[in-house]
Amino acid sequence: MNLTELNRIATAMVAPGKGILAADESSGTIKKRFDAIGVESTETNRRDYREMLFRAKEAMSQYISGVILYDETIWQDAKDGTPLVKLIEQAGAIPGIKVDEGTQALPMCPGELVTVGLDKLAERLKKYYERGARFAKWRAVIDIGSGIPSMTAISVNAHALARYAALCQAAQIVPIVEPEVLMDGDHDIDRCYEVTSRVLNKTFQELRVQRVALEGMVLKPNMAISGKKCAKQASVEEVAEKTIRLLRACVPAAVPGIAFLSGGQSDEEATAHLNAMHRLGPLPWGLTFSYGRALQAAPQKAWSGRPENVAAGQAAFSHRARMNGLASRGEWQSSLEQKAA
């Protein structure tokens, strides 16, 4: 393992003013997104849509440090025969790959899930590296509800995340470690804080046990945020303050960077929260975004599957990428959204 190189890539992934595009929707998820804009989810349409994003020069070269791909996408070529991986590299961004194989019910733990995909992962990583992937992603999901999460769910998911991370580093691939505490419930921000704290502490304990070099990874956590169904929604300032307090308490300074998931927040909310956190610096790690829906909802709508809308889709993507790029430096203002509108 060349840790210097892993650290170089991890640091580039969280470079100031840039963040990671999560374009790794599973076939089921992208079908839902395409259904919403009236586009059939065929392999060609999925390819055309992602090619549109990767060819958005302004966004990709100025605000996007890396792109997380789905297995189908990493092997696809653009219309002109250029591998999509090459388009990402040509824009100066780093190709990455989602390697988990989704979730299964966790035995003896009703309502809880464990992420699977460790079998044969070492062999898959070799092939992904040869194709150009330099980082990977594995997502664990922790739900908050009545009597959950259990310590069992937290432990098995943290263990799997650490095993995945060790396999990545052995394959010279930077692991994005993503323990996501879902915001779907009616819990308040303090409950989210408490659960996320337990999840992060257990995850870093497992990473140490399994000898993962913290300097060669990126953390992709949720923010400390109120559940979607909570009657009292925390303010932008409270989300920023509690999230930073949580990360300072749980994330070692050796980690080069933290790239947040948006987790169901609206485009502007995700941007405002990230921006407010940068007002609380200086911080021991790079702090940026790794958004999927919060970067893609606008371009999907603008594109709507029509070739004549490619430029409009790219403009919408570039706008969201720029807004988040500014937020990752603490330089975003809501008035910039109105100007674009």
Side-chain angles (χ1 to χ4, degrees):
M1 177 179 87
N2 179 345
L3 184 54
T4 306
E5 182 59 12
L6 288 174
N7 176 259
R8 186 191 70 77
I9 290 164
T11 305
M13 286 162 65
V14 294
K18 291 190 168 191
I20 300 160
L21 167 65
D24 60 335
E25 301 85 1
S26 66
S27 306
T29 301
I30 200 150
K31 183 183 183 309
K32 278 185 213 153
R33 306 260 162 94
F34 276 15
D35 285 350
I37 54 169
V39 175
E40 196 188 346
S41 184
T42 63
E43 193 179 335
T44 305
N45 284 343
R46 292 192 292 272
R47 190 270 323 265
D48 289 350
Y49 167 64
R50 285 169 171 146
E51 181 179 345
M52 170 188 82
L53 296 179
F54 306 158
R55 285 194 190 275
K57 275 208 178 75
E58 185 200 347
M60 290 294 296
S61 62
Q62 292 184 46
Y63 309 112
I64 301 296
S65 59
V67 181
I68 311 170
L69 300 169
Y70 188 56
D71 180 77
E72 174 186 83
T73 320
I74 200 168
W75 305 109
Q76 281 178 324
D77 294 336
K79 255 193 186 129
D80 66 3
T82 311
L84 292 181
V85 173
K86 284 277 173 281
L87 292 185
I88 294 165
E89 288 171 349
Q90 284 162 6
I94 306 162
I97 179 74
K98 166 191 149 82
V99 296
D100 70 69
E101 294 179 332
T103 54
Q104 286 180 0
L106 182 59
M108 313 299 167
C109 297
E112 298 191 281
L113 302 167
V114 61
T115 303
V116 295
L118 287 167
D119 294 352
K120 302 196 177 129
L121 179 56
E123 294 147 51
R124 289 196 289 136
L125 287 168
K126 266 186 208 143
K127 290 176 187 156
Y128 289 140
Y129 185 89
E130 282 162 16
R131 183 68 174 175
R134 290 299 173 265
F135 70 91
K137 185 195 97 163
W138 177 288
R139 173 176 177 250
V141 286
I142 305 289
D143 211 349
I144 298 180
S146 175
I148 61 171
S150 64
M151 205 57 225
T152 311
I154 292 174
S155 296
V156 295
N157 277 295
H159 180 81
L161 272 169
R163 281 197 59 202
Y164 138 81
L167 286 164
C168 283
Q169 290 188 338
Q172 204 52 40
I173 284 175
V174 171
I176 289 184
V177 174
E178 180 178 0
E180 179 178 4
V181 176
L182 299 173
M183 61 180 283
D184 296 340
D186 59 4
H187 54 276
D188 63 12
I189 188 171
D190 292 322
R191 175 89 170 112
C192 175
Y193 183 104
E194 178 250 327
V195 170
T196 307
S197 169
R198 284 166 58 202
V199 169
L200 289 176
N201 285 333
K202 189 66 188 168
T203 300
F204 279 103
Q205 185 188 2
E206 279 290 343
L207 288 165
R208 287 189 188 93
V209 167
Q210 300 190 42
R211 304 182 180 187
V212 173
L214 301 185
E215 301 87 344
M217 64 163 272
V218 169
L219 179 69
K220 182 171 177 174
N222 54 285
M223 299 175 189
I225 200 164
S226 317
K228 275 186 204 161
K229 298 177 191 139
C230 180
K232 183 178 180 286
Q233 290 291 313
S235 67
V236 169
E237 289 70 29
E238 190 181 4
V239 169
E241 188 271 319
K242 285 190 168 151
T243 303
I244 293 297
R245 195 197 317 162
L246 173 72
L247 296 174
R248 284 188 190 279
C250 302
V251 183
V255 174
I258 296 170
F260 289 106
L261 53 91
S262 47
Q265 300 175 55
S266 75
D267 301 359
E268 218 170 300
E269 263 178 338
T271 308
H273 287 143
L274 176 62
N275 187 67
M277 288 179 214
H278 276 277
R279 302 277 167 94
L280 304 171
L283 304 167
W285 355 254
L287 197 66
T288 190
F289 58 93
S290 176
Y291 295 162
R293 207 207 54 78
L295 275 173
Q296 293 187 62
Q300 269 164 11
K301 208 170 159 191
W303 170 66
S304 292
R306 299 193 182 97
E308 65 271 22
N309 290 345
V310 164
Q314 288 176 331
F317 174 47
S318 295
H319 173 67
R320 285 272 38 96
R322 178 169 168 259
M323 293 297 101
N324 286 303
L326 289 170
S328 72
R329 294 177 181 272
E331 294 168 3
W332 173 85
Q333 291 167 347
S334 60
S335 59
L336 296 167
E337 302 281 359
Q338 272 76 61
K339 268 183 207 160

